[in-house]
Amino acid sequence: SALGRWQARGPLDAPWTSRHFLRDYAAGKPARYELVDDDRAWDQPLVRDCWPPGLRTGWARLLAHRERLLATMERLPRTFAHLDAWVSNEIARPDGRTALLDWAFAGDGAIGEDAGNHIPDAAFDLFWPAERIAELDAAVTADYLAGLREAGWPGDPSEVRLGIVASCVKYAWLLPGMLARASATEHRAYHEVADAEQLYRQRGLVLAHLVGWCDEALALLEAGR
């Protein structure tokens, strides 16, 4: 809820704040997107045996809507965002307050964008069990909304949820990147060597959750949110 209370204050317009971070981040991540349509890439053992069914078609759908999702994130209500909110940048102080570290990317962001980063990143790097990603999603969404309301934010909760789920576009590069590395001899999660099967199973579940986010975002857009 602390994140919501802080971001209820809205945007900060200063010379040093970043602009267009999400679009620049997405454009700056090299990825072999053609692998999403490559049968051989999907037949690699780590992919074939560890990823959930339907992920291939779901990710193709996310990629097909990349521009719409980016445009959605750019038109949502603005706030001053950290833009790298995840567990290793979040420190609990002895008095119960939370401190955010590493403000290198901070600047203009969509309402909900930081929450939409925190949720998948916790599981992508194996800090949170991917089998419980839906539980984390529900808890973070509810707490973030509660913080916004507590601080007097007057906006539409559906726009907050749209900001969370449409942020799935940030990770469009990750699945093809994992396809490209699936035959490597060593795999890492946040710079630490990880068991390959565990990593691919856990990330596969999170990637599937992001497909669900994409579909939820599209449904909200069709409903006029």
PDB file of all heavy atoms in Angstrom, residues 147-166:
ATOM      1  N   GLY A 147      -3.719   1.715  -1.072  1.00  0.00           N
ATOM      2  CA  GLY A 147      -2.833   2.838  -0.817  1.00  0.00           C
ATOM      3  C   GLY A 147      -3.229   4.076  -1.596  1.00  0.00           C
ATOM      4  O   GLY A 147      -3.203   5.193  -1.066  1.00  0.00           O
ATOM      5  N   LEU A 148      -3.583   3.903  -2.856  1.00  0.00           N
ATOM      6  CA  LEU A 148      -4.049   5.033  -3.661  1.00  0.00           C
ATOM      7  C   LEU A 148      -5.270   5.694  -3.026  1.00  0.00           C
ATOM      8  O   LEU A 148      -5.335   6.925  -2.900  1.00  0.00           O
ATOM      9  CB  LEU A 148      -4.393   4.559  -5.075  1.00  0.00           C
ATOM     10  CG  LEU A 148      -3.235   4.196  -6.013  1.00  0.00           C
ATOM     11  CD1 LEU A 148      -3.776   3.506  -7.275  1.00  0.00           C
ATOM     12  CD2 LEU A 148      -2.446   5.447  -6.405  1.00  0.00           C
ATOM     13  N   ARG A 149      -6.231   4.874  -2.636  1.00  0.00           N
ATOM     14  CA  ARG A 149      -7.466   5.407  -2.054  1.00  0.00           C
ATOM     15  C   ARG A 149      -7.184   6.093  -0.718  1.00  0.00           C
ATOM     16  O   ARG A 149      -7.736   7.162  -0.410  1.00  0.00           O
ATOM     17  CB  ARG A 149      -8.481   4.277  -1.872  1.00  0.00           C
ATOM     18  CG  ARG A 149      -9.081   3.756  -3.175  1.00  0.00           C
ATOM     19  CD  ARG A 149      -9.861   4.860  -3.855  1.00  0.00           C
ATOM     20  NE  ARG A 149     -10.613   4.378  -4.993  1.00  0.00           N
ATOM     21  CZ  ARG A 149     -10.695   4.992  -6.144  1.00  0.00           C
ATOM     22  NH1 ARG A 149     -10.044   6.144  -6.324  1.00  0.00           N
ATOM     23  NH2 ARG A 149     -11.418   4.522  -7.139  1.00  0.00           N
ATOM     24  N   GLU A 150      -6.321   5.489   0.084  1.00  0.00           N
ATOM     25  CA  GLU A 150      -5.986   6.063   1.387  1.00  0.00           C
ATOM     26  C   GLU A 150      -5.390   7.459   1.244  1.00  0.00           C
ATOM     27  O   GLU A 150      -5.612   8.346   2.083  1.00  0.00           O
ATOM     28  CB  GLU A 150      -5.005   5.140   2.107  1.00  0.00           C
ATOM     29  CG  GLU A 150      -4.629   5.582   3.504  1.00  0.00           C
ATOM     30  CD  GLU A 150      -3.645   4.626   4.151  1.00  0.00           C
ATOM     31  OE1 GLU A 150      -3.591   3.443   3.759  1.00  0.00           O
ATOM     32  OE2 GLU A 150      -2.902   5.083   5.051  1.00  0.00           O
ATOM     33  N   ALA A 151      -4.627   7.659   0.158  1.00  0.00           N
ATOM     34  CA  ALA A 151      -3.988   8.955  -0.072  1.00  0.00           C
ATOM     35  C   ALA A 151      -4.861   9.906  -0.879  1.00  0.00           C
ATOM     36  O   ALA A 151      -4.408  10.986  -1.257  1.00  0.00           O
ATOM     37  CB  ALA A 151      -2.652   8.742  -0.779  1.00  0.00           C
ATOM     38  N   GLY A 152      -6.097   9.506  -1.172  1.00  0.00           N
ATOM     39  CA  GLY A 152      -7.031  10.405  -1.817  1.00  0.00           C
ATOM     40  C   GLY A 152      -7.038  10.387  -3.326  1.00  0.00           C
ATOM     41  O   GLY A 152      -7.597  11.299  -3.955  1.00  0.00           O
ATOM     42  N   TRP A 153      -6.450   9.368  -3.924  1.00  0.00           N
ATOM     43  CA  TRP A 153      -6.455   9.288  -5.391  1.00  0.00           C
ATOM     44  C   TRP A 153      -7.891   9.084  -5.877  1.00  0.00           C
ATOM     45  O   TRP A 153      -8.575   8.160  -5.434  1.00  0.00           O
ATOM     46  CB  TRP A 153      -5.572   8.138  -5.855  1.00  0.00           C
ATOM     47  CG  TRP A 153      -5.313   8.098  -7.333  1.00  0.00           C
ATOM     48  CD1 TRP A 153      -4.466   8.884  -8.032  1.00  0.00           C
ATOM     49  CD2 TRP A 153      -5.908   7.212  -8.291  1.00  0.00           C
ATOM     50  NE1 TRP A 153      -4.475   8.549  -9.373  1.00  0.00           N
ATOM     51  CE2 TRP A 153      -5.365   7.526  -9.561  1.00  0.00           C
ATOM     52  CE3 TRP A 153      -6.852   6.187  -8.206  1.00  0.00           C
ATOM     53  CZ2 TRP A 153      -5.711   6.857 -10.715  1.00  0.00           C
ATOM     54  CZ3 TRP A 153      -7.210   5.508  -9.358  1.00  0.00           C
ATOM     55  CH2 TRP A 153      -6.650   5.847 -10.595  1.00  0.00           C
ATOM     56  N   PRO A 154      -8.383   9.934  -6.809  1.00  0.00           N
ATOM     57  CA  PRO A 154      -9.797   9.890  -7.181  1.00  0.00           C
ATOM     58  C   PRO A 154     -10.099   9.092  -8.446  1.00  0.00           C
ATOM     59  O   PRO A 154     -11.222   9.105  -8.929  1.00  0.00           O
ATOM     60  CB  PRO A 154     -10.106  11.371  -7.418  1.00  0.00           C
ATOM     61  CG  PRO A 154      -8.823  11.901  -8.015  1.00  0.00           C
ATOM     62  CD  PRO A 154      -7.705  11.136  -7.347  1.00  0.00           C
ATOM     63  N   GLY A 155      -9.120   8.406  -8.996  1.00  0.00           N
ATOM     64  CA  GLY A 155      -9.286   7.799 -10.316  1.00  0.00           C
ATOM     65  C   GLY A 155     -10.090   6.519 -10.337  1.00  0.00           C
ATOM     66  O   GLY A 155     -10.624   6.049  -9.323  1.00  0.00           O
ATOM     67  N   ASP A 156     -10.155   5.919 -11.526  1.00  0.00           N
ATOM     68  CA  ASP A 156     -10.930   4.715 -11.795  1.00  0.00           C
ATOM     69  C   ASP A 156     -10.070   3.486 -11.501  1.00  0.00           C
ATOM     70  O   ASP A 156      -8.991   3.330 -12.081  1.00  0.00           O
ATOM     71  CB  ASP A 156     -11.357   4.724 -13.269  1.00  0.00           C
ATOM     72  CG  ASP A 156     -12.236   3.543 -13.647  1.00  0.00           C
ATOM     73  OD1 ASP A 156     -12.330   2.578 -12.860  1.00  0.00           O
ATOM     74  OD2 ASP A 156     -12.819   3.578 -14.744  1.00  0.00           O
ATOM     75  N   PRO A 157     -10.505   2.577 -10.607  1.00  0.00           N
ATOM     76  CA  PRO A 157      -9.719   1.379 -10.309  1.00  0.00           C
ATOM     77  C   PRO A 157      -9.429   0.522 -11.540  1.00  0.00           C
ATOM     78  O   PRO A 157      -8.399  -0.154 -11.585  1.00  0.00           O
ATOM     79  CB  PRO A 157     -10.579   0.622  -9.298  1.00  0.00           C
ATOM     80  CG  PRO A 157     -11.460   1.665  -8.691  1.00  0.00           C
ATOM     81  CD  PRO A 157     -11.720   2.666  -9.775  1.00  0.00           C
ATOM     82  N   SER A 158     -10.322   0.545 -12.520  1.00  0.00           N
ATOM     83  CA  SER A 158     -10.080  -0.265 -13.712  1.00  0.00           C
ATOM     84  C   SER A 158      -8.887   0.261 -14.498  1.00  0.00           C
ATOM     85  O   SER A 158      -8.193  -0.512 -15.179  1.00  0.00           O
ATOM     86  CB  SER A 158     -11.321  -0.309 -14.597  1.00  0.00           C
ATOM     87  OG  SER A 158     -11.609   0.958 -15.151  1.00  0.00           O
ATOM     88  N   GLU A 159      -8.607   1.563 -14.407  1.00  0.00           N
ATOM     89  CA  GLU A 159      -7.414   2.106 -15.067  1.00  0.00           C
ATOM     90  C   GLU A 159      -6.141   1.649 -14.347  1.00  0.00           C
ATOM     91  O   GLU A 159      -5.111   1.418 -14.987  1.00  0.00           O
ATOM     92  CB  GLU A 159      -7.478   3.629 -15.125  1.00  0.00           C
ATOM     93  CG  GLU A 159      -8.483   4.152 -16.131  1.00  0.00           C
ATOM     94  CD  GLU A 159      -8.326   5.635 -16.372  1.00  0.00           C
ATOM     95  OE1 GLU A 159      -8.214   6.387 -15.385  1.00  0.00           O
ATOM     96  OE2 GLU A 159      -8.304   6.048 -17.549  1.00  0.00           O
ATOM     97  N   VAL A 160      -6.233   1.520 -13.043  1.00  0.00           N
ATOM     98  CA  VAL A 160      -5.092   1.002 -12.286  1.00  0.00           C
ATOM     99  C   VAL A 160      -4.803  -0.434 -12.703  1.00  0.00           C
ATOM    100  O   VAL A 160      -3.651  -0.805 -12.974  1.00  0.00           O
ATOM    101  CB  VAL A 160      -5.371   1.076 -10.775  1.00  0.00           C
ATOM    102  CG1 VAL A 160      -4.222   0.443  -9.993  1.00  0.00           C
ATOM    103  CG2 VAL A 160      -5.584   2.517 -10.337  1.00  0.00           C
ATOM    104  N   ARG A 161      -5.853  -1.237 -12.760  1.00  0.00           N
ATOM    105  CA  ARG A 161      -5.654  -2.629 -13.170  1.00  0.00           C
ATOM    106  C   ARG A 161      -5.133  -2.703 -14.602  1.00  0.00           C
ATOM    107  O   ARG A 161      -4.267  -3.528 -14.910  1.00  0.00           O
ATOM    108  CB  ARG A 161      -6.974  -3.408 -13.042  1.00  0.00           C
ATOM    109  CG  ARG A 161      -6.858  -4.896 -13.369  1.00  0.00           C
ATOM    110  CD  ARG A 161      -5.872  -5.605 -12.477  1.00  0.00           C
ATOM    111  NE  ARG A 161      -5.742  -7.013 -12.837  1.00  0.00           N
ATOM    112  CZ  ARG A 161      -4.831  -7.839 -12.344  1.00  0.00           C
ATOM    113  NH1 ARG A 161      -3.951  -7.393 -11.451  1.00  0.00           N
ATOM    114  NH2 ARG A 161      -4.772  -9.091 -12.737  1.00  0.00           N
ATOM    115  N   LEU A 162      -5.618  -1.831 -15.468  1.00  0.00           N
ATOM    116  CA  LEU A 162      -5.132  -1.811 -16.836  1.00  0.00           C
ATOM    117  C   LEU A 162      -3.641  -1.467 -16.866  1.00  0.00           C
ATOM    118  O   LEU A 162      -2.878  -2.062 -17.642  1.00  0.00           O
ATOM    119  CB  LEU A 162      -5.930  -0.803 -17.666  1.00  0.00           C
ATOM    120  CG  LEU A 162      -5.574  -0.692 -19.161  1.00  0.00           C
ATOM    121  CD1 LEU A 162      -5.677  -2.037 -19.856  1.00  0.00           C
ATOM    122  CD2 LEU A 162      -6.479   0.341 -19.836  1.00  0.00           C
ATOM    123  N   GLY A 163      -3.208  -0.536 -16.024  1.00  0.00           N
ATOM    124  CA  GLY A 163      -1.793  -0.200 -15.971  1.00  0.00           C
ATOM    125  C   GLY A 163      -0.934  -1.369 -15.512  1.00  0.00           C
ATOM    126  O   GLY A 163       0.191  -1.547 -15.978  1.00  0.00           O
ATOM    127  N   ILE A 164      -1.473  -2.166 -14.599  1.00  0.00           N
ATOM    128  CA  ILE A 164      -0.742  -3.348 -14.131  1.00  0.00           C
ATOM    129  C   ILE A 164      -0.641  -4.382 -15.243  1.00  0.00           C
ATOM    130  O   ILE A 164       0.450  -4.849 -15.575  1.00  0.00           O
ATOM    131  CB  ILE A 164      -1.420  -3.941 -12.878  1.00  0.00           C
ATOM    132  CG1 ILE A 164      -1.279  -2.979 -11.691  1.00  0.00           C
ATOM    133  CG2 ILE A 164      -0.819  -5.311 -12.546  1.00  0.00           C
ATOM    134  CD1 ILE A 164      -2.046  -3.406 -10.450  1.00  0.00           C
ATOM    135  N   VAL A 165      -1.781  -4.737 -15.837  1.00  0.00           N
ATOM    136  CA  VAL A 165      -1.767  -5.873 -16.765  1.00  0.00           C
ATOM    137  C   VAL A 165      -1.175  -5.512 -18.129  1.00  0.00           C
ATOM    138  O   VAL A 165      -0.513  -6.350 -18.761  1.00  0.00           O
ATOM    139  CB  VAL A 165      -3.170  -6.497 -16.916  1.00  0.00           C
ATOM    140  CG1 VAL A 165      -3.641  -7.057 -15.573  1.00  0.00           C
ATOM    141  CG2 VAL A 165      -4.192  -5.506 -17.469  1.00  0.00           C
ATOM    142  N   ALA A 166      -1.384  -4.277 -18.598  1.00  0.00           N
ATOM    143  CA  ALA A 166      -0.812  -3.892 -19.896  1.00  0.00           C
ATOM    144  C   ALA A 166       0.702  -3.781 -19.834  1.00  0.00           C
ATOM    145  O   ALA A 166       1.375  -3.831 -20.867  1.00  0.00           O
ATOM    146  CB  ALA A 166      -1.420  -2.575 -20.381  1.00  0.00           C
TER     147      ALA A 166
END
